[in-house]
Amino acid sequence: MKITQHQQKRVKHPNPHLYKTKLTSNDKTELKAIFENLDSKNFWYLKSTIPEQNQKAKSVEERMIDFALNIQLSLNNNLPVVSGLLQRKEIEDAGCKLLRPVDISLNRLLSELYKQKTAKEAYQFARNFEFDPEDDPLLVWLSSSIQDTALLYLKKNNFNIQNYLESDKLYYLWGFSNKIFDTTYKINVLDYDACSKEKSSTASAFATNQKRELSAVDPVENSKMGRRTDTAYIGGNDVEVGCLEIGKTNHQTKEFMDGSIKMPIAMKDMLMKLVEQNSSLVNQLHILGYLIMGKKISLMDMDIPKGYVTRIRRTKQVLYPDSSDNFVVRIGPLLELAAIGKEIAEDTYKKFSNNVIPLSAATDEPEEYVIPPHVSGLSSLASSPSSHH
């Protein structure tokens, strides 16, 4: 049966002028105040930038504030905060690896998968898996994912599946990236939901509304909605541990807006909410992100490896199969990427949910920052009517 597209979804491309916002003098004053409230003892000093004797070392945080105060916030800014291969490598390698090891049995079957030649052979291979559907949910996911995606290439006179709408692509083509979270019921600590159709982030809403307060003079501001993402990964008690954005085609502007602005802000809101509830986990938690553009996907991992520095690492884009002949060599890395994403989100949820949150007294006095807020939280940007779109 051929699925027809009755109505084309109107694609709304972000207005780039919204992000060419110059920092005002008040914004810079706020940034300086935030920086001065940080504990310099916690700053991150790279070993590769230790100066000569009698010279003052410069931390990553100091480099970042200099960059923020002297460079206007603009789409055209590609200037690095740090330069040099040694510095970049030290930042990249701090903490755990981006590409985490996955389940041994999953690795073994993926190695066997690569011995198949076509989508039909991969389909037959996955049908013959031997597993217990209750005890081996990860293998159930692997078997069904290979068969479901292979079927797309076995239909005679099949239409171009890359022309699916965004919602259809997420369900038919990339569904395995969300369905893998169904396998977590075995440990009974994860209760993930893949909330598609643009999910508003509760962590983002929390960060946006932090400055709301009662006043005897001015009316209380209306509560604002959090930033929307196409999918949010949520554990029990609404613990948000990741998000996903998808674009129908490989649109460069949308890729930049979603991958470099929208998602990092939403992911930092999620990270801030978790860390503010339990600051002892500040260097242990990671937020997962998937950016899908057309037939390419990349994984994003946000964490705070040291000091007050929020880091985002990304994988190179991985291609989706476009024929039966290259189905195996392309679907294998995609399935492994989904398994790595599950490990990232699952590890964060386990650490957060199993860690004691110590009692503390509520106070109106400003506390020291565990994580500095992101730039969009500054007064002139937060008050913009378009800043939460």
Side-chain angles (χ1 to χ4, degrees):
M1 181 181 69
K2 182 176 180 179
I3 303 175
T4 57
Q5 299 173 5
H6 297 289
Q7 184 177 1
Q8 287 290 335
K9 181 178 178 181
R10 185 180 178 184
V11 179
K12 296 182 179 180
H13 299 305
N15 182 355
H17 296 293
L18 297 178
Y19 298 98
K20 289 187 175 181
T21 306
K22 293 183 177 181
L23 297 180
T24 66
S25 57
N26 288 337
D27 290 333
K28 292 184 178 183
T29 300
E30 284 187 57
L31 279 175
K32 290 178 182 177
I34 291 172
F35 181 76
E36 290 169 359
N37 199 35
L38 303 179
D39 186 351
S40 60
K41 295 178 182 178
N42 295 330
F43 284 178
W44 184 9
Y45 292 90
L46 301 177
K47 295 179 181 178
S48 55
T49 58
I50 294 176
E52 299 292 334
Q53 192 173 5
N54 299 326
Q55 290 183 337
K56 185 180 182 300
K58 200 169 189 179
S59 67
V60 178
E61 288 84 351
E62 289 169 313
R63 293 169 183 268
M64 292 176 70
I65 191 65
D66 288 346
F67 177 83
L69 295 178
N70 295 306
I71 303 294
Q72 293 297 342
L73 181 64
S74 168
L75 287 178
N76 300 320
N77 287 338
N78 293 312
L79 300 177
V81 177
V82 296
S83 59
L85 292 177
L86 289 178
Q87 296 176 34
R88 290 179 177 274
K89 181 170 174 42
E90 187 174 346
I91 291 176
E92 285 287 326
D93 293 346
C96 67
K97 294 182 178 180
L98 171 62
L99 300 179
R100 304 188 183 195
V102 298
D103 183 85
I104 296 176
S105 58
L106 190 70
N107 249 337
R108 177 180 56 81
L109 287 171
L110 286 176
S111 297
E112 292 295 318
L113 173 65
Y114 286 123
K115 296 178 182 179
Q116 316 308 312
K117 301 298 182 184
T118 64
K120 185 174 182 179
E121 290 183 15
Y123 180 86
Q124 296 292 352
F125 169 71
R127 284 188 63 192
N128 295 324
F129 281 7
E130 293 185 3
F131 52 76
D132 187 304
E134 290 185 336
D135 295 337
D136 303 310
L138 198 58
L139 300 188
V140 174
W141 165 81
L142 181 63
S143 176
S144 62
S145 296
I146 295 174
Q147 292 182 71
D148 290 345
T149 51
L151 275 176
L152 297 172
Y153 298 89
L154 300 181
K155 297 178 183 178
K156 292 183 178 180
N157 303 318
N158 192 17
F159 54 98
N160 188 354
I161 58 177
Q162 291 298 339
N163 288 334
Y164 284 5
L165 298 177
E166 282 183 12
S167 56
D168 292 333
K169 276 192 172 186
L170 187 55
Y171 181 80
Y172 289 106
L173 274 64
W174 303 99
F176 57 83
S177 62
N178 286 341
K179 289 180 181 178
I180 192 171
F181 291 106
D182 294 340
T183 68
T184 57
Y185 73 86
K186 179 179 178 182
I187 56 177
N188 201 31
V189 295
L190 287 173
D191 185 21
Y192 279 94
D193 297 316
C195 305
S196 299
K197 302 292 184 184
E198 288 253 322
K199 171 72 171 61
S200 176
S201 168
T202 57
S204 180
F206 176 81
T208 301
N209 293 297
Q210 269 190 319
K211 292 185 178 180
R212 293 179 74 222
E213 57 184 13
L214 293 174
S215 171
V217 180
D218 299 319
V220 180
E221 292 182 20
N222 291 330
S223 177
K224 297 182 178 68
M225 183 181 292
R227 293 172 179 83
R228 290 179 175 272
T229 56
D230 290 320
T231 297
Y233 300 113
I234 307 170
N237 295 321
D238 290 330
V239 176
E240 294 180 318
V241 292
C243 59
L244 176 151
E245 276 292 315
I246 184 170
K248 181 172 180 281
T249 59
N250 190 21
H251 191 280
Q252 190 176 32
T253 301
K254 178 174 173 57
E255 181 179 355
F256 182 89
M257 294 294 189
D258 287 353
S260 298
I261 298 178
K262 180 180 179 181
M263 287 185 66
I265 292 175
M267 291 168 70
K268 185 164 184 182
D269 286 338
M270 295 176 184
L271 187 57
M272 286 179 67
K273 187 175 181 181
L274 297 182
V275 170
E276 285 175 0
Q277 292 182 61
N278 198 332
S279 59
S280 65
L281 298 174
V282 64
N283 301 128
Q284 301 180 46
L285 303 180
H286 294 250
I287 299 297
L288 169 68
Y290 285 121
L291 180 63
I292 301 173
M293 286 292 142
K295 55 184 180 180
K296 300 176 182 178
I297 184 173
S298 59
L299 179 147
M300 302 164 62
D301 177 3
M302 174 180 282
D303 70 332
I304 303 173
K306 293 183 181 180
Y308 299 98
V309 179
T310 304
R311 171 184 66 177
I312 295 182
R313 294 177 294 177
R314 309 165 189 262
T315 63
K316 291 183 178 179
Q317 290 180 319
V318 184
L319 281 170
Y320 200 88
D322 56 24
S323 70
S324 174
D325 293 335
N326 67 14
F327 174 81
V328 172
V329 295
R330 290 193 177 177
I331 199 63
L334 291 173
L335 295 171
E336 184 179 358
L337 193 73
I340 292 172
K342 171 182 174 291
E343 292 293 329
I344 293 173
E346 191 175 47
D347 181 60
T348 290
Y349 184 79
K350 280 182 180 178
K351 286 177 178 176
F352 179 80
S353 61
N354 294 335
N355 201 69
V356 175
I357 300 178
L359 295 175
S360 60
T363 175
D364 293 331
E365 294 298 320
E367 299 180 0
E368 289 186 357
Y369 290 111
V370 179
I371 309 179
H374 47 65
V375 175
S376 68
L378 298 177
S379 299
S380 65
L381 302 180
S383 61
S384 169
S386 59
S387 61
H388 308 293
H389 290 180

